[in-house]
């Protein structure tokens, strides 16, 4: 069974890209185009981005993409507004690299009572 | 004291993509698809459940739980509880019969924790799936995946645990079966039951109201939990933690995520509770062991990944 959680079938051949963190000397990791950026990071044994549900629901893996092309699947509007999404703030578990990416983690703050009502 | 609330009856879960969600809840978890409605919602249940459905999936642009419903003994109980809920200070909305297919009227209210709950007394009974009620066989053939037997409980994160306990205990007749207390006596987790089960609903203290941690489904044996873990790997499904045992309730468990990021649990075993039992208490400084009895340490994701 393929639950499509990690896989994106929109591309015919799998390509591989380099994901690097903005403003750091760290090496980054390589991500295949058919695996989400978050899962690629986990497979590379790195911890640059916090890992939650891996399904676009919990918001923990929120990042800014500063540079590069990617394909994205639906992500929960609880964490990413349409404006944020078009400005490159996305959930790493819902994007698939289509070129080398430069990213910056942006895990959401806990939102106390008043803001969510 | 019992007030006529019988059991968790249903949960409506929001998913980002219905087709992906059905692969999770039907093919992997093994729930049975029972119906669909003109809003596009899909109705599911575990094979041992007598009522027509217990899980309703709704496609939406954010994940999480819409509401959890409890089934009550009869319509008179509903009328009484309506008054009691109002007296407690809850605003109660009457959702008309048929809004969920083959379900009677529902009373909907928001608990102090920030979660929407419903009470209802009538739902079509289609019987256990694949079995007759007369001289039934042990189990039906043709079950899929983990073969989840029933929807069992939810764990929710939210605010104002004290007021929420008052509502569930004093108005709805639940008992406090287990709790976690800090050294200064603040309750940070509460496991409530309307039955003999260790929990029918549980809450953990959290600054954001109305958050969903997991919906849980019952399996018969530890072997079934292990087999569920195998299936999670075979399908490359997002895992949270397990198989392991909880200190709280002592259930044997595994947690994983649906393709929209909602957490699912399958578990077996666990303690039982009678109304004359004192609550079981875990100290907050033993929280690691209370949650994961073997690792004895908390996993950040388990505590903070919510929808
Ligand atoms: S890990 Fe939960 S939204 Fe990405
Ligand atoms: Fe649970």
């Amino acid at each position: 069974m393929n639950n499509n959680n990690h896989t994106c079938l929109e591309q015919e051949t799998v390509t591989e890209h380099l994901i690097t963190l903005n403003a750091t000397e760290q090496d980054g990791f390589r991500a295949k185009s058919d695996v989400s950026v978050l899962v690629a990071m986990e497979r590379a044994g790195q911890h640059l981005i916090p890992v939650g549900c891996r399904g676009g629901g919990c918001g923990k893996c929120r990042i800014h993409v500063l540079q590069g092309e990617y394909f994205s699947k639906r992500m929960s509007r609880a964490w990413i507004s349409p404006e944020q999404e078009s400005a490159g703030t996305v959930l790493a578990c819902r994007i698939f690299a289509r070129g080398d990416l430069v990213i910056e983690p942006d895990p959401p703050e806990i939102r106390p009572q008043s803001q969510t009502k | 004291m019992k007030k006529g609330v019988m059991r968790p009856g249903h949960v409506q879960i929001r998913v980002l993509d219905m087709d992906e969600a059905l692969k999770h809840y039907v093919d992997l978890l093994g729930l049975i698809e029972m119906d669909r409605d003109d809003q596009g919602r899909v109705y599911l249940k575990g094979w041992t459940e007598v009522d027509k459905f217990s899980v309703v999936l709704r496609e939406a642009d954010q994940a999480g739980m819409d509401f959890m419903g409890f089934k009550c003994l009869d319509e008179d109980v509903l009328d009484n509880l309506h008054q009691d809920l109002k007296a407690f200070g809850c605003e109660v909305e009457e959702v008309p019969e048929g809004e969920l297919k083959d379900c009677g009227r529902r009373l909907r209210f928001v608990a102090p924790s920030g979660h929407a709950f419903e009470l209802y007394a009538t739902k079509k009974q289609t019987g256990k799936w694949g079995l007759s009620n007369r001289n039934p066989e042990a189990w039906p053939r043709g079950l899929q995946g983990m073969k989840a037997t029933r929807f069992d409980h939810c764990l929710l994160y939210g605010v104002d645990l004290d007021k929420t306990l008052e509502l569930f205990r004093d108005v709805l007749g639940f008992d406090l079966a287990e709790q976690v207390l800090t050294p200064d006596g603040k309750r940070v987790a509460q496991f409530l039951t309307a039955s003999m089960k260790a929990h029918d609903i549980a809450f953990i203290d959290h600054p954001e109201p109305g958050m969903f941690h997991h919906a849980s489904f019952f399996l018969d044996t530890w072997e079934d939990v292990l087999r569920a873990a195998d299936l999670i790997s075979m399908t490359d499904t997002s895992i949270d933690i397990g198989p392991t045992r909880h200190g709280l309730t002592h259930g044997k468990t595994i947690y994983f995520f649906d393709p929209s990021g909602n957490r699912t649990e399958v578990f077996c075993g666990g303690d039982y509770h009678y109304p004359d039992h004192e609550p079981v208490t875990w100290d907050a400084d033993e929280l690691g062991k209370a949650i994961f009895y073997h690792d004895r340490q908390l996993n950040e994701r388990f505590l903070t990944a919510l929808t």
Side-chain angles (χ1 to χ4, degrees), chain A residues 38 50-62 75-76 79 91-94, chain B residues 257 260-261 305-307:
Chain A
L38 189 73
V51 179
C53 65
R54 309 182 188 88
C58 77
K60 290 192 74 74
C61 67
R62 194 165 77 184
M75 38 193 107
S76 177
W79 310 107
L91 299 174
C93 65
R94 301 297 273 182
Chain B
F257 293 98
S260 309
L306 306 170
T307 58

Side-chain angles (χ1 to χ4, degrees), chain B residues 105-234:
Chain B
R105 68 186 169 116
R106 291 130 65 205
L107 304 179
R108 186 176 299 170
F109 57 96
V110 175
S113 62
H115 302 90
F117 291 101
E118 301 184 340
L119 304 174
Y120 66 97
T122 307
K123 189 184 278 178
K124 185 175 178 183
Q125 297 201 311
T126 53
K128 291 183 185 175
W129 183 82
L131 294 183
S132 161
N133 209 23
R134 204 142 181 172
N135 311 316
E137 302 298 347
W139 39 264
R141 298 189 204 198
L143 294 171
Q144 299 193 69
M146 299 175 185
K147 309 180 185 185
T149 66
R150 63 161 192 258
F151 166 52
D152 189 89
H153 63 267
C154 286
L155 172 60
L156 307 174
Y157 275 44
V159 296
D160 214 341
L161 257 50
D162 286 340
K163 204 86 205 289
T164 303
L165 174 61
E166 259 177 58
L167 169 67
F168 274 82
R169 186 187 53 203
D170 303 344
V171 179
L172 302 176
F174 285 66
D175 290 317
L176 178 63
E178 303 215 4
Q179 60 183 346
V180 177
L181 297 180
T182 63
D184 50 3
K186 180 175 154 66
R187 204 173 336 91
V188 291
Q190 54 197 22
F191 288 60
L192 311 177
T193 182
S195 63
M196 269 181 70
K197 288 157 54 197
H199 52 337
D200 286 314
I201 176 80
F203 296 92
I204 288 188
D205 184 45
H206 183 73
E208 290 162 289
M211 302 301 284
F212 179 63
H213 189 274
H214 69 261
S216 184
F217 299 85
F218 191 75
L219 301 179
D220 286 325
T221 67
W222 173 235
E223 191 70 25
D224 293 332
V225 176
L226 191 66
R227 198 176 150 277
D230 293 339
L231 285 162
I232 288 167
S233 284
M234 284 181 206

